[in-house]
Amino acid sequence: MVPLIYFIGLSAILFILGVVGVLIRRNAIVAFMSLELMFNAANLLFVSFASYYQSLNGQLFVFFVMIVAAAEVAVGLALMVAIFRSRNSIDIDQEHSLKG
């Protein structure tokens, strides 16, 4: 059996890589992929704790996180396609008109 601390460490590394990807990259597609990486890091943590404590609650949370991630991808990609059609670029820094 693999110790729980290994899963916690791997999840932390994946989450940090996702945060760095969102903060550093200017491409919207890479930012969304980094956001998905953060969701998957949280899912890994939920599943590992659910397995460790022999509970199904963590797996239920994973199911809801996957639903949110799928909705985020659908809406985000639709927005990116609409922005690309109007401006021919999906650079996040150039989208100052989207700020409130």
Side-chain angles (χ1 to χ4, degrees), residues 14-57:
L14 288 175
F15 193 82
I16 289 170
L17 285 174
V19 169
V20 167
V22 167
L23 294 177
I24 291 178
R25 304 298 270 179
R26 292 183 179 166
N27 190 347
I29 294 175
V30 175
F32 276 116
M33 287 174 48
S34 298
L35 192 63
E36 291 296 322
L37 189 63
M38 290 189 290
F39 280 145
N40 287 329
N43 283 341
L44 176 64
L45 204 58
F46 282 138
V47 168
S48 60
F49 275 113
S51 175
Y52 183 75
Y53 289 113
Q54 300 296 319
S55 175
L56 291 177
N57 292 338

Side-chain angles (χ1 to χ4, degrees), residues 63-82:
F63 181 70
F64 289 119
V65 168
M66 289 175 71
I67 290 172
V68 169
E72 177 256 336
V73 165
V75 171
L77 287 177
L79 285 172
M80 281 192 286
V81 167

